[in-house]
């Protein structure tokens, strides 16, 4: 026997002691057979520090920053294991920009385990940026601070806007360099979700012809997340239809708040209908239906106005993977196509609510397309327009703030006549309508320039060589984003149109 191996095994300092956060775990995904994942521990980061922390996400599993700050940094950085977890990287595949890629998987994410929160809810805890895995391909297994802060803010913001999403509990950074277009520094996001299973998880087992594993995965998802489908004579079809409907409602939400995902590959589509895998996402500032937030997306496949049809296309990829279980092509198509009706219903309801309408009438879609044409013509700020529309008065006695925000007043007036008529017809009361509208039309979103300001302060020492990193803006911005529908006079500047310098900001996939 090689004696150096023995020495290696008994070196006491090589195994860090686990951190006990007092959490209970039920690692059900790790109970699935080995075909679904590879077990491995995170690769630690040197001298880590806490960049951001979401109290509301942490409360879901009963963790507080004050009590557990250092312990959290140790766990999220990957430097110490979390007691009770069983870390693994999951395998999946998927269609990227329309092309099937046979093997993807968690190339830089690790599922730690499934924590049981105080209310009994189960939350998978996942580290994103925790080092290389067998699925890393050419990647380094890391995430940069910039994109980690964006994912943290983006997912918490969408949650508080009421849009289904994975959550982000914390971001931990390190001065360890990471090489992208320029040299940046590493960070890890601790994400939370009931499950991180994707359309691509099913595609992988379908395309590798692992039929038993495919069925096992479907049964796992049904039992844990769609138990009601078990009562259906065709449980897998019922499941597919439910995914289609949830996806439809999700996309209608995105369209309503002007959210552009940026990389709607099937590996970035959650089977729970959640927003997942934040990359070059953006909330639109000035409206352009064809807005492309990801500058690597040269053909605009994932442009804002493409999202509804891309989600439908993606459901076909999931449906194809499930056909061996549903055993009926026509019924599978019908389940997928339930997306169309549900999207149309959800989008109409969303836009009626944005207009402050209490009822839905046959011609309301014309009112919606009319207003969208106005915004398109002048590239009006999406968020501020809808927010301001709540000041519209049925009797025309308002201070014309909305009207004044357009250059082509005659065009606005023509639309306003129809809007006013429609409001009168349902006896709309200005004050009541304004309250309703302000509950669906947010004042605060993650504007690119706001995230950028927080990122620049948090990155300070690397760019200037010696400046101090300042994470206070991440914290302040999160506080604002946690109350997107409120009026926060002290944060008025966070609701303003972007400054000129922000117009040249570009977002790419290299996160
Ligand atoms: P994304 O577009 O970020 O969802 O990633 C697509 C695929 O590439 C997934 O399998 C990721 O795990 C993998 N990936 C992305 N960035 C990296 C990286 N830096 N290192 C390893 N794998 C990565
Ligand atoms: Mg992804």
């Amino acid at each position: 026997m090689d004696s150096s191996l023995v020495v290696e095994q008994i070196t006491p300092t090589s195994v860090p002691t686990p951190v006990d956060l007092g959490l209970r775990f039920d690692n059900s995904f790790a109970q699935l057979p080995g075909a679904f994942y590879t077990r491995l521990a995170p690769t630690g980061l040197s001298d880590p520090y806490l960049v951001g922390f979401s109290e509301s996400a942490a409360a879901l599993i009963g963790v507080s920053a004050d009590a557990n700050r250092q312990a959290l940094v140790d766990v999220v950085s990957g430097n110490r294991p979390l007691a009770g977890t069983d870390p693994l990287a999951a395998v999946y595949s998927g269609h990227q920009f329309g092309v099937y890629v046979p093997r993807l998987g968690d190339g830089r994410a690790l599922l730690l385990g499934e924590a049981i929160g105080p209310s009994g809810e189960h939350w998978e805890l996942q580290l994103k940026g925790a080092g290389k895995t067998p699925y890393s391909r050419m990647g380094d297994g890391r995430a940069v601070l910039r994109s980690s802060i964006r994912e943290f803010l983006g997912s918490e913001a969408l949650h508080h806007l009421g849009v289904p999403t994975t959550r982000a509990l914390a971001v931990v950074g390190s001065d360890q360099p990471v090489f992208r277009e320029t040299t940046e520094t590493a960070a890890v996001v601790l994400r939370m979700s009931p499950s991180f299973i994707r359309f691509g998880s099913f595609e992988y087992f379908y395309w590798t012809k692992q039929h038993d594993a495919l069925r096992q995965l479907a049964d796992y998802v049904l039992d844990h997340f769609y138990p009601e489908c078990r009562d259906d004579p065709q449980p897998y079809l019922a499941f597919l239809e439910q995914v289609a409907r949830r996806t439809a409602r999700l996309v209608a939400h995105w369209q309503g708040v002007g959210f552009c995902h940026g990389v709607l590959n099937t590996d970035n589509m959650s089977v729970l209908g959640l927003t997942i895998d934040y990359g070059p996402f953006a909330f639109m500032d000035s409206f352009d239906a064809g807005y492309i937030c990801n500058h690597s997306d040269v053909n605009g496949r994932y442009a804002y106005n493409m999202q509804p049809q891309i989600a439908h296309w993606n459901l076909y990829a999931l449906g194809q993977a499930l056909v061996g279980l549903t055993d009926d092509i026509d019924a599978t198509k019908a389940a997928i196509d339930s997306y169309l009706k549900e999207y149309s219903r959800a989008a109409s309801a969303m836009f009626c609510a944005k207009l402050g309408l209490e009822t839905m009438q046959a011609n309301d879609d014309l009112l919606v397309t009319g207003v969208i044409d106005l915004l398109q013509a002048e590239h009006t700020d999406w968020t501020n327009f809808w927010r301001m529309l709540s000041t519209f008065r049925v009797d025309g006695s308002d201070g014309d703030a909305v009207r004044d925000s357009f250059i082509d007043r005659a065009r606005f007036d023509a639309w306003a006549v129809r809007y006013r008529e429609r409001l009168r017809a349902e006896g709309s009361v200005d004050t009541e309508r304004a309250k309703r509208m302000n509950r669906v039309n947010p004042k605060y979103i993650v504007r690119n320039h706001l995230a950028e300001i927080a990122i620049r302060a948090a990155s300070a020492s690397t760019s200037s060589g010696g400046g101090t990193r300042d994470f206070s803006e991440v914290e302040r911005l999160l506080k604002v984003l946690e109350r997107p529908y409120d009026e926060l006079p002290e944060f008025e500047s966070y609701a303003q149109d972007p400054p000129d310098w922000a117009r040249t900001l570009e977002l790419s996939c290299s996160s």
Side-chain angles (χ1 to χ4, degrees):
M1 180 189 255
D2 180 343
S3 62
S4 65
L5 281 180
V6 177
V7 172
E8 177 73 21
Q9 281 169 4
I10 58 170
T11 305
T13 52
S14 62
V15 185
T17 47
V19 170
D20 190 353
L21 289 176
L23 296 172
R24 275 192 309 137
F25 283 92
D26 168 26
N27 303 327
S28 63
F29 190 83
Q31 305 304 311
L32 289 169
F36 291 85
Y37 51 77
T38 303
R39 282 199 161 82
L40 84 162
T43 312
L45 286 174
S46 54
D47 305 316
Y49 37 79
L50 190 64
V51 174
F53 181 83
S54 165
E55 298 278 354
S56 69
L60 295 169
I61 54 166
V63 166
S64 94
D66 295 339
N68 304 301
R69 194 179 174 98
Q70 188 54 46
L72 262 172
V73 171
D74 290 345
V75 168
V76 180
S77 62
N79 289 339
R80 286 174 68 194
L82 176 57
T85 60
D86 192 357
L88 60 87
V91 67
Y92 52 84
S93 62
H95 283 79
Q96 297 194 315
F97 291 90
V99 178
Y100 185 67
V101 181
R103 206 170 99 141
L104 295 164
D106 292 333
R108 53 175 168 170
L110 284 181
L111 172 61
L112 295 181
E114 191 182 321
I116 305 173
S119 59
E121 285 174 35
H122 287 218
W123 289 97
E124 284 191 349
L125 306 186
Q126 193 194 63
L127 300 182
K128 180 170 176 182
K132 280 191 186 164
T133 79
Y135 315 109
S136 298
R137 299 179 295 160
M138 308 296 281
D140 57 6
R142 292 300 184 193
V144 297
L145 179 64
R146 160 179 59 88
S147 65
S148 302
I149 290 176
R150 284 172 45 81
E151 169 143 11
F152 174 71
L153 294 172
S155 52
E156 289 305 284
L158 274 193
H159 166 73
H160 290 285
L161 285 164
V163 183
T165 176
T166 60
R167 302 291 304 271
L169 193 155
V171 184
V172 162
S174 156
D175 287 356
Q176 216 166 292
V178 176
F179 305 99
R180 297 291 183 262
E181 281 103 347
T182 59
T183 303
E184 303 189 41
T185 61
V188 181
V189 185
L190 174 54
R191 311 199 289 191
M192 298 167 60
S193 177
S195 171
F196 286 92
I197 296 175
R198 300 131 197 282
F199 290 11
S201 313
F202 285 92
E203 290 177 87
Y204 175 77
F205 292 104
Y206 167 77
W207 287 98
T208 54
K209 300 189 168 52
Q210 299 185 66
H211 191 79
D212 290 345
L214 180 73
R215 183 179 294 276
Q216 247 173 327
L217 184 64
D219 286 340
Y220 175 85
V221 174
L222 258 79
D223 291 342
H224 286 81
F225 308 107
Y226 292 91
E228 68 284 2
C229 294
R230 284 288 181 210
D231 301 330
D232 194 284
Q234 298 269 22
Y236 302 117
L237 273 176
F239 158 60
L240 181 59
E241 180 171 336
Q242 287 311 314
V243 178
R245 289 181 185 280
R246 284 196 198 187
T247 305
R249 294 193 290 270
L250 173 69
V251 178
H253 255 121
W254 287 348
Q255 303 307 99
V257 295
F259 177 82
C260 212
H261 181 285
V263 200
L264 281 180
N265 294 332
T266 59
D267 53 302
N268 291 338
M269 296 287 294
S270 152
V271 294
L272 302 186
L274 308 171
T275 314
I276 190 174
D277 278 13
Y278 293 71
F281 77 86
F283 285 82
M284 263 190 298
D285 292 306
S286 58
F287 181 68
D288 176 8
Y291 175 63
I292 306 163
C293 60
N294 175 0
H295 85 123
S296 325
D297 181 10
V298 282
N299 296 318
R301 181 181 173 88
Y302 300 138
Y304 169 81
N305 59 358
M306 292 292 289
Q307 295 188 129
Q309 71 197 75
I310 282 295
H312 186 221
W313 191 98
N314 288 346
L315 282 160
Y316 264 85
L318 175 64
Q320 176 171 16
L322 289 175
V323 123
L325 300 177
T326 59
D327 245 356
D328 181 337
I329 291 183
D330 290 338
T332 303
K333 277 192 182 155
I336 294 167
D337 288 346
S338 62
Y339 172 89
L340 298 171
K341 231 183 172 167
E342 184 74 353
Y343 178 75
S344 165
R345 190 204 55 74
S348 295
M350 166 70 61
F351 280 95
C352 278
K354 288 180 82 68
L355 287 168
L357 301 175
E358 279 189 292
T359 56
M360 280 166 72
Q361 306 287 335
N363 282 337
D364 288 347
D365 284 354
L366 294 176
L367 209 53
V368 173
T369 49
V371 77
I372 288 184
D373 287 347
L374 279 176
L375 302 182
Q376 177 70 39
E378 301 201 10
H379 297 304
T380 315
D381 187 273
W382 180 257
T383 306
N384 287 341
F385 166 77
W386 288 105
R387 189 75 181 183
M388 201 194 296
L389 190 61
S390 69
T391 64
F392 190 89
R393 298 282 171 267
V394 173
D395 67 3
S397 68
D398 62 324
D400 282 340
V402 194
R403 183 174 189 266
D404 289 348
S405 68
F406 290 95
I407 300 165
D408 187 345
R409 307 261 157 89
R411 191 171 174 170
F412 172 78
D413 289 342
W415 178 80
V417 167
R418 289 192 285 139
Y419 183 41
R420 193 164 273 131
E421 262 170 26
R422 176 67 181 81
L423 293 176
R424 277 211 188 98
E426 68 173 32
S428 196
V429 179
D430 290 340
T431 49
E432 295 303 314
R433 186 179 66 259
K435 275 192 219 150
R436 277 198 311 277
M437 291 172 79
N438 287 341
R439 286 197 292 265
V440 291
N441 295 320
K443 174 138 182 167
Y444 304 104
I445 50 157
V446 189
R447 291 183 182 273
N448 281 328
H449 74 278
L450 296 178
E452 186 65 20
I453 291 167
I455 289 164
R456 287 184 186 175
S459 317
S461 69
T462 38
S463 52
S464 60
T468 46
R469 291 179 180 274
D470 179 359
F471 307 126
S472 62
E473 189 53 30
V474 174
E475 192 181 336
R476 202 160 31 247
L477 183 50
L478 177 63
K479 285 270 165 297
V480 177
L481 297 171
E482 283 175 343
R483 298 175 61 191
Y485 298 107
D486 292 349
E487 290 292 329
L488 306 172
E490 70 276 32
F491 292 111
E492 199 60 33
S493 65
Y494 287 73
Q496 281 166 7
D497 292 8
D500 283 345
W501 64 262
R503 295 189 197 283
T504 52
L505 288 176
E506 283 201 327
L507 307 163
S508 78
C509 268
S510 68
S511 56

